[in-house]
């Protein structure tokens, strides 16, 4: 078997070649004119924003901090500026059914224009109409009407008086009304003289009075009707005057809106209602005393107002609306109420728009997590998109929770492109569990998190840094600092062949490096300032790591870095807290004994093992049986444990270490504790790549360095992980000096050979392993256990016989 040598130092860290940069500082570099690494996603955004068929709304996928929203908004702003301005949407009073306000669609800007015209109309009429009704001409015309009716009444009374006089009866006016009395020579006969008259005269007078009384009552019975006629004549006069004023003003508006029939219909209804309610314009403000407080009530004339829900004429092109608090009401609108004398009242002017109204004819940008967190918001959004209408309904009314009378506004037609932003998890969950999701959001724009690392991307990164420094008003970066940012970007993604395009991380690093450069009095940001920023970011987050390593160094957590122990190996796991990942060296032990092929995962038995870790342990059992027990039973019982582990264990990155511990125990060969190992293993014994390889190596290195490097310490990693190495400078320096080693292994045989110093051994044509090899000793031990198993079975059979 070929001897496995430590990796060369240049393979542990992929430096950025400074010779590829022709600039000294980013001040010499032009701004970035393209989007780095997001061609697929931006093509999807262009397609989704351009296609106008039903259901082609967008879902922008990717983790937060990628700059998704700013990139999409920038593209949409460029596109929207060339699109036509959307229509204005207004609500008008429905004079026939006030609880059902009418919706009015107008060309862009005309809604606000109509609102102002109606306000000026009402203001003018509020001053002009009272003045007209206080004029001398109006009073004269009213007096003429009243005089006409008074003269008619006086004429009838006069005729009655003349008729009574012929019958020697006098018609008298009293404070209580009219009275009839007998007379002689036009003088009322006193009662004592009346009594002296002959009976025949008395009867004549009585009959005459009765006849005249009936005539008088007939005249008086006409008075209410004539008062009504007089009142109606005055009202008609008022209406005529009102019409003459209103019609003149509204005709001016009709001339402005001749191209809009719906507005003309509204103006007709307004004119008719104003004429019918002329008294409202004549009433002065009234005062009401409530609990000792004088409250002045004003005529609001809300019926004639125009409630402009959405108007985007102030900004050219289609609107782009971003709603940060997408509650149900904030999306579809609401009807507000005001308190008046202890009661809640509303009208069409209290209808408030939602984000869908403001974005109508354009684009609405939403965070899907926020939408899903708000009760009923997701269902309200889907309902509007499916029906292409915005129905303004309160949740209580929609779900029959209340039965109070409210407004029922006419729905607004909807034409909007919705763009949802969220993590991939939300996208796939909605696709799986919401059958309507795919019908509405048919375009997915999936943002990349990394780009290939090459000379071209290095230059693009330099342009990106140059652009960000100018935009954020930061100090320019020299080329050494640019190279350090690029190297750190590769470290962020844990891949020497890739670069991160997580914009938030990049911008944060640039800000912090700028801060340290200014603190040091530098005119340009240097590589040392970038390194200071990186170290400070780690220092702010590594308290838990320091406490964990302190426990290891004090012996509280038992991790050996020297000596050799059978069935014990140093495994490496990773903990991530608050966006900071660090390694936790873990002692893994294995015990074996006679049994029936059981491989006990202690973590699984106590329900501390995740599904992937349990799968890895089962693969170990399969490997042992396939390699060492093809033609015999596996008479083995083994136990695996993560010592001093008190939480969940997940992942299969320790399966290679677990297999090494098992083989060590079976072969009775100790493992060198100065080495640690990480990696996954398959049924064929091949080492497979794992994640966070840099953190795992550095974690074990930190423990070894704290105890003192001996030159024998190191870490074994899968060969496929070499391309991911971007180790810290102190680790690379220790490896260069031969004080610490990183080995790349391809399979379990290479790993166990390095860990024990004993060759694993290769099988010959007959499947036999060389004497003294690990595999030979394991096979011998399993054969021994099989023999014990056969003897045990024979003894059982003899006992039965």
């Amino acid at each position: 078997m070929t001897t496995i040598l430590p990796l060369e130092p240049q393979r542990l860290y992929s430096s950025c070649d400074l010779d590829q940069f022709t600039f000294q500082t980013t001040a010499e570099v032009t701004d970035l004119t393209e989007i780095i690494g997001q061609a697929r996603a931006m093509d999807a955004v262009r397609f989704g924003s351009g296609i106008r068929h039903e259901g082609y709304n967008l879902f922008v996928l990717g983790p937060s901090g990628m700059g998704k929203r700013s990139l999409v908004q920038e593209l949409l702003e460029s596109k929207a500026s060339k699109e036509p301005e959307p229509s204005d949407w207004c609500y008008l009073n429905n004079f026939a059914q006030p609880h059902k306000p009418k919706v009015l669609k107008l060309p862009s800007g005309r809604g606000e224009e109509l609102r102002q015209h109606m306000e000026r109309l009402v203001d003018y009429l509020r001053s002009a109409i009272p003045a007209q009704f206080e004029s001398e001409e109006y009073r004269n015309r009213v007096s003429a009407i009243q005089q006409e009716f008074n003269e008619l009444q006086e004429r009838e009374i006069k005729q009655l008086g003349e008729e009574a006089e012929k019958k020697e009866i006098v018609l008298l006016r009293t404070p209580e009304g009219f009275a009839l009395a007998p007379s002689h020579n036009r003088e009322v006969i006193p009662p004592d003289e009346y009594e002296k008259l002959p009976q025949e005269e008395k009867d004549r007078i009585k009959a005459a009075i009765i006849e005249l009384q009936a005539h008088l009552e007939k005249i008086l019975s006409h008075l209410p009707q004539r008062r009504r006629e007089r009142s109606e004549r005055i009202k008609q006069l008022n209406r005529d005057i009102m019409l003459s004023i209103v019609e003149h003003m509204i005709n001016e508006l009709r001339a402005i809106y001749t191209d809009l029939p719906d507005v003309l219909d509204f103006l007709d209804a307004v004119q008719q209602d104003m004429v019918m309610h002329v008294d409202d314009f004549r009433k002065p403000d009234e005062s009401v005393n409530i609990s000792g407080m004088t409250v002045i009530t004003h005529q609001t004339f809300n019926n004639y107002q125009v409630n402009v829900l959405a108007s985007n004429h102030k900004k050219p092109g289609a609107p782009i609306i971003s709603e940060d608090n997408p509650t149900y009401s904030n999306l579809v609108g609401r009807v507000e109420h005001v308190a008046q004398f202890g009661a809640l009242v509303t009208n069409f002017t209290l209808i408030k728009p939602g984000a869908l109204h403001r974005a109508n004819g354009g684009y609405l940008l939403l965070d899907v997590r926020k939408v899903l967190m708000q009760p009923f918001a997701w269902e309200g959004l889907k309902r509007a998109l499916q029906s292409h209408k915005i129905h303004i309904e309160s949740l209580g009314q929609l779900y029959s929770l209340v039965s109070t009378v409210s407004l029922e506004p006419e729905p607004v037609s909807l034409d909007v492109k919705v763009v949802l932003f969220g993590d991939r998890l939300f996208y796939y969950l909605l696709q799986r569990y919401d059958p309507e999701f795919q019908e509405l959001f048919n375009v997915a724009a999936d943002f990349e998190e990394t780009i290939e690392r090459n000379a071209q991307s290095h230059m693009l990164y330099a342009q990106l840094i140059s652009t960000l420094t100018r935009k954020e008003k930061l100090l320019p970066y020299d080329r050494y600092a640019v190279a350090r940012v690029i190297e750190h970007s590769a470290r962020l993604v844990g891949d020497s062949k890739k670069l991160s395009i997580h914009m938030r991380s990049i911008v944060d690093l640039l800000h912090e490096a700028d801060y340290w450069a200014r603190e040091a009095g530098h005119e340009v940001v240097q590589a040392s300032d970038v390194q200071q920023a990186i170290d400070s970011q780690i220092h702010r987050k590594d308290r838990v790591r320091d406490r964990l390593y302190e426990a290891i160094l004090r012996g509280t957590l038992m991790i050996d870095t020297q000596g050799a122990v059978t069935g014990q190996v140093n495994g490496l796991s990773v903990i991530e807290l608050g966006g900071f990942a660090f390694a936790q060296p873990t002692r893994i032990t294995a015990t074996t004994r006679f049994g029936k092929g059981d491989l006990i995962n202690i973590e699984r038995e106590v329900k501390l093992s995740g599904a992937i870790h349990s799968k890895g342990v089962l693969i170990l059992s399969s490997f042992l049986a396939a390699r060492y027990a093809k033609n015999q039973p596996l008479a083995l019982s083994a136990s695996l444990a993560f010592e001093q582990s008190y939480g969940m264990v997940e992942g299969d990155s320790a399966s290679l270490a677990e297999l090494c511990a098992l083989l060590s125990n079976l072969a009775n060969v100790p493992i060198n504790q100065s080495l640690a190992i990480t990696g996954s293993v398959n049924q064929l014994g091949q080492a497979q790549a794992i994640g966070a390889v840099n953190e795992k190596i550095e974690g074990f290195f930190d423990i070894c360095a704290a105890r003192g490097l001996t030159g024998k310490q190191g870490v074994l990693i899968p060969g496929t992980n070499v391309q991911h190495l971007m180790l810290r400078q102190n680790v690379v320096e220790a490896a260069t000096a031969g004080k610490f080693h990183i080995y790349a292994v391809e399979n379990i045989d290479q790993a166990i050979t390095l860990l024990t110093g004993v060759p694993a051994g290769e099988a010959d044509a007959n499947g036999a392993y060389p004497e003294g090899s690990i595999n030979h000793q394991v096979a011998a031990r399993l054969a021994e256990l099989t023999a014990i198993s056969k003897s045990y079975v024979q003894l059982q059979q003899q006992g039965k016989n």
Side-chain angles (χ1 to χ4, degrees):
M1 182 177 293
T2 305
T3 303
I4 305 298
L5 298 176
L7 293 174
E8 299 86 354
Q10 59 268 25
R11 300 185 68 185
L12 306 181
Y13 188 85
S14 181
S15 301
C16 181
D17 185 9
L18 291 173
D19 293 337
Q20 64 189 304
F21 296 141
T22 59
F23 61 87
Q24 294 301 317
T25 72
T26 54
E28 306 168 22
V29 181
T30 58
D31 283 349
L32 190 66
T33 58
E34 59 182 291
I35 298 171
I36 300 180
Q38 304 295 356
R40 179 191 291 108
M42 298 313 292
D43 286 344
V45 173
R46 292 186 189 94
F47 169 76
S49 61
I51 189 170
R52 287 297 171 182
H53 292 288
E54 182 178 354
Y56 283 87
N57 296 293
L58 287 114
F59 195 111
V60 181
L61 298 76
S64 61
M66 295 296 300
K68 305 186 298 294
R69 185 179 287 264
S70 58
L71 289 176
V72 171
Q73 186 152 358
E74 182 178 345
L75 186 147
L76 292 179
E77 286 175 353
S78 175
K79 178 179 175 57
S81 62
K82 304 171 186 176
E83 295 180 356
E85 296 178 3
S87 302
D88 289 354
W89 290 95
C90 312
Y91 271 113
L92 307 175
N93 181 42
N94 186 341
F95 294 99
Q97 294 179 295
H99 69 289
K100 293 184 177 181
K102 292 183 177 181
V103 71
L104 177 65
K105 181 181 179 182
L106 295 174
S108 179
R110 302 296 295 277
E112 186 64 25
E113 177 186 338
L114 179 60
R115 183 189 67 80
Q116 294 176 1
H117 280 148
M118 293 307 298
E119 284 184 354
R120 287 196 289 266
L121 172 64
V122 171
D123 289 342
Y124 171 77
L125 295 178
R126 290 184 66 182
S127 59
I129 290 173
Q132 184 67 29
F133 283 98
E134 292 171 3
S135 65
E136 186 69 25
E137 178 186 358
Y138 173 74
R139 286 198 291 268
N140 291 338
R141 294 179 68 178
V142 172
S143 297
I145 293 172
Q146 291 176 340
Q147 185 176 354
E148 178 184 345
F149 280 90
N150 290 339
E151 288 177 353
L152 177 59
Q153 180 179 341
E154 288 299 325
R155 189 162 55 248
E156 290 180 343
I157 296 298
K158 183 179 180 182
Q159 290 174 357
L160 179 63
E162 292 174 352
E163 182 182 349
E165 186 178 347
K166 293 176 182 178
K167 297 179 180 181
E168 293 186 342
I169 303 295
V170 177
L171 180 62
L172 301 174
R173 293 178 184 267
T174 68
E176 290 80 14
F178 294 96
L180 295 168
S183 66
H184 181 69
N185 294 330
R186 298 184 180 180
E187 295 290 337
V188 176
I189 300 175
D192 54 344
E193 293 185 8
Y194 175 77
E195 293 297 331
K196 297 177 182 178
L197 294 174
Q199 187 61 39
E200 294 180 1
E201 184 65 16
K202 288 181 180 180
D203 293 340
R204 182 191 67 78
I205 293 173
K206 185 176 180 181
I209 289 176
I210 291 173
E211 181 182 355
L212 292 171
Q213 184 68 37
H215 192 182
L216 176 61
E217 290 176 358
K218 184 178 180 181
I219 293 173
L220 295 177
S221 67
H222 293 161
L223 289 179
Q225 180 182 353
R226 286 172 179 162
R227 289 194 187 100
R228 287 195 298 272
E229 291 176 359
R230 181 183 63 186
S231 177
E232 190 60 38
R233 285 274 301 277
I234 294 175
K235 287 182 179 179
Q236 185 59 45
L237 172 62
N238 294 344
R239 286 193 289 268
D240 292 342
I241 294 174
M242 184 70 172
L243 179 61
S244 65
I245 301 173
V246 171
E247 188 173 28
H248 171 70
M249 296 299 300
I250 289 186
N251 281 340
E252 293 182 2
L253 295 181
R254 287 191 179 101
I256 299 174
Y257 297 99
T258 52
D259 58 329
L260 300 172
D262 291 339
V263 176
L264 296 180
D265 292 342
F266 170 65
L267 293 176
D268 291 342
V270 167
Q271 176 177 311
Q272 183 179 357
D273 190 78
M274 283 182 169
V275 171
M276 294 296 296
H277 296 86
V278 60
D279 289 341
D280 291 344
F281 288 88
R282 298 178 59 189
K283 290 178 181 177
D285 294 338
E286 299 176 352
S287 60
V288 180
N289 191 287
I290 301 177
S291 302
M293 296 187 299
T294 301
V295 179
I296 299 177
T297 60
H298 304 274
Q299 292 291 335
T300 59
F301 300 100
N302 286 331
N303 290 349
Y304 313 122
Q305 292 185 22
V306 176
N307 184 0
V308 181
L309 280 190
S311 180
N312 299 285
H313 67 283
K314 294 182 179 179
K315 186 176 181 182
I320 301 175
I321 303 299
S322 181
E323 179 55 63
D324 293 329
N325 184 27
T327 63
Y328 176 83
S329 297
N330 286 350
L331 284 177
V332 302
R334 62 193 181 278
V335 178
E336 295 184 343
H337 295 72
V338 295
Q340 287 186 359
F341 307 114
L344 292 177
V345 297
T346 188
N347 58 67
F348 78 98
T349 64
L350 295 176
I351 300 174
K352 303 300 179 183
L356 287 169
H357 293 97
R358 300 194 303 272
N360 205 356
Y363 305 90
L364 176 59
L365 280 53
L366 299 170
D367 186 316
V368 67
R369 184 183 65 85
K370 294 179 180 179
V371 175
L372 294 173
M373 287 178 63
Q374 297 294 339
F376 309 105
W378 177 246
E379 292 302 322
L381 176 63
K382 290 195 301 180
R383 181 189 180 200
L385 293 176
Q386 287 169 336
S387 64
H388 302 287
K389 292 182 179 179
I390 310 172
H391 296 264
I392 300 180
E393 296 176 300
S394 68
L395 289 175
Q397 181 182 1
L398 184 63
Y399 293 95
S400 302
L401 300 177
V402 295
S403 58
T404 55
V405 177
S406 185
L407 298 182
E408 299 176 18
E410 186 179 353
V412 173
S413 297
L414 179 63
D415 177 21
V416 69
K417 185 74 68 173
V418 176
V419 183
L420 292 179
F421 296 87
D423 291 341
R424 296 184 179 92
L425 176 64
F426 289 110
Y427 177 77
Y428 295 118
L429 285 176
L430 287 170
Q431 268 207 332
R432 177 66 180 84
Y433 293 106
D434 190 340
E436 298 172 329
F437 174 73
Q438 185 64 39
E439 299 174 4
L440 297 174
F441 294 89
N442 207 15
V443 181
D446 198 349
F447 271 64
E448 298 282 356
E449 299 173 55
T450 63
I451 57 171
E452 292 293 330
R453 184 179 176 186
N454 50 45
Q456 181 183 3
S457 61
H458 284 179
M459 194 59 207
L460 288 174
Y461 232 76
Q463 287 184 280
L464 173 63
I465 295 171
S466 174
T467 304
L468 291 173
T469 53
R470 291 191 182 97
K471 182 180 178 181
E472 303 290 334
K473 298 181 180 179
L474 306 177
L475 293 174
Y477 278 56
D478 67 20
R479 60 179 186 162
Y480 298 96
V482 171
R484 186 66 191 94
V485 172
I486 291 173
E487 292 165 358
H488 181 66
S489 176
R491 171 58 189 260
L492 285 177
V493 297
D495 193 335
S496 64
K497 307 297 182 183
K498 299 278 187 179
L499 291 178
S500 171
I501 47 177
H502 190 270
M503 290 297 110
R504 185 187 301 163
S505 300
I506 298 170
V507 172
D508 288 347
L509 180 61
L510 296 183
H511 283 166
E512 296 184 28
D514 176 83
Y515 169 82
W516 291 114
R518 294 178 190 273
E519 286 288 302
H522 298 159
E523 295 183 358
V524 296
V525 179
Q526 302 175 6
S528 60
D529 301 318
V530 177
Q531 187 60 49
Q532 176 72 24
I534 296 170
D535 294 341
S536 296
Q537 287 180 342
I538 295 173
H539 182 66
R540 293 196 297 269
K541 299 176 181 178
D542 66 353
R543 186 191 65 83
V544 175
R545 183 187 68 177
D546 287 351
R547 300 290 78 76
L548 177 66
Y549 290 178
E550 179 185 357
I552 293 174
L553 296 174
R554 295 176 64 184
T556 306
L557 295 178
M558 294 184 291
I559 299 294
D560 293 335
T561 55
Q562 58 183 358
V565 181
T566 301
Q568 176 179 302
V569 67
N570 291 323
L572 299 171
S573 57
V574 169
I575 298 174
E576 184 170 356
L577 293 172
F580 176 63
F582 59 92
Q584 177 185 6
T586 305
R587 174 179 289 181
I588 299 174
T589 59
T591 59
T592 59
R593 56 201 172 276
F594 169 72
K596 298 180 179 180
D598 300 325
L599 186 57
I600 299 173
N601 173 12
I602 292 178
E603 266 67 33
R604 182 180 62 187
E605 296 300 317
V606 296
K607 303 187 186 312
L608 288 178
S609 174
I612 298 176
H613 178 252
S614 299
K615 174 188 174 183
V617 174
L618 292 175
I619 287 175
L620 303 187
S621 177
S622 176
F623 169 80
L624 290 175
R627 173 174 281 196
Y628 303 108
K630 289 182 179 180
N631 301 316
Q632 64 184 31
L634 187 63
L636 168 72
S637 182
S639 298
L640 290 168
F642 280 66
E643 304 295 350
Q644 292 184 295
S645 172
Y646 307 105
M648 287 292 298
V649 177
E650 181 58 306
D652 62 350
S653 64
S655 58
L656 188 60
E658 291 171 319
L659 182 55
C660 289
L662 275 172
L663 296 181
S664 167
N665 186 276
L666 287 169
N668 196 27
V669 175
I671 288 177
N672 188 351
Q673 299 300 297
S674 61
L675 297 176
I677 182 171
T678 183
S680 169
V681 68
N682 60 23
Q683 292 188 106
L684 304 178
Q686 296 170 325
Q688 301 175 141
I690 43 82
V693 64
N694 293 294
E695 288 81 359
K696 290 177 179 178
I697 293 173
E698 291 166 357
F700 191 68
F701 171 82
D702 289 339
I703 299 300
C704 294
R707 288 176 173 172
L709 296 175
T710 63
K712 297 180 179 180
Q713 296 143 334
V715 176
L716 282 64
I717 65 172
T720 47
N721 275 124
V722 174
Q723 61 186 327
H724 303 137
L725 293 178
M726 287 293 294
L727 293 169
R728 282 198 321 251
Q729 194 61 35
N730 60 344
V731 182
V732 176
E733 291 173 355
T736 304
K739 295 182 178 180
F740 194 79
H741 311 288
I742 291 91
Y743 300 92
V745 298
E746 302 296 333
N747 51 54
I748 180 61
D749 291 333
Q750 292 179 352
I752 195 65
T753 298
L754 283 169
L755 288 173
T756 62
V758 178
E762 296 182 10
D764 58 19
N766 298 322
Y769 295 101
E771 290 279 345
S773 67
I774 294 290
N775 286 327
H776 178 270
Q777 293 176 245
V778 171
R781 174 58 177 161
L782 290 176
E784 179 185 354
L785 292 174
T786 301
I788 294 173
S789 175
K790 290 180 180 179
S791 301
Y792 180 73
V793 171
Q794 291 175 356
L795 289 174
Q796 283 186 321
Q797 290 177 346
Q798 291 175 1
K800 291 179 181 179
N801 295 331

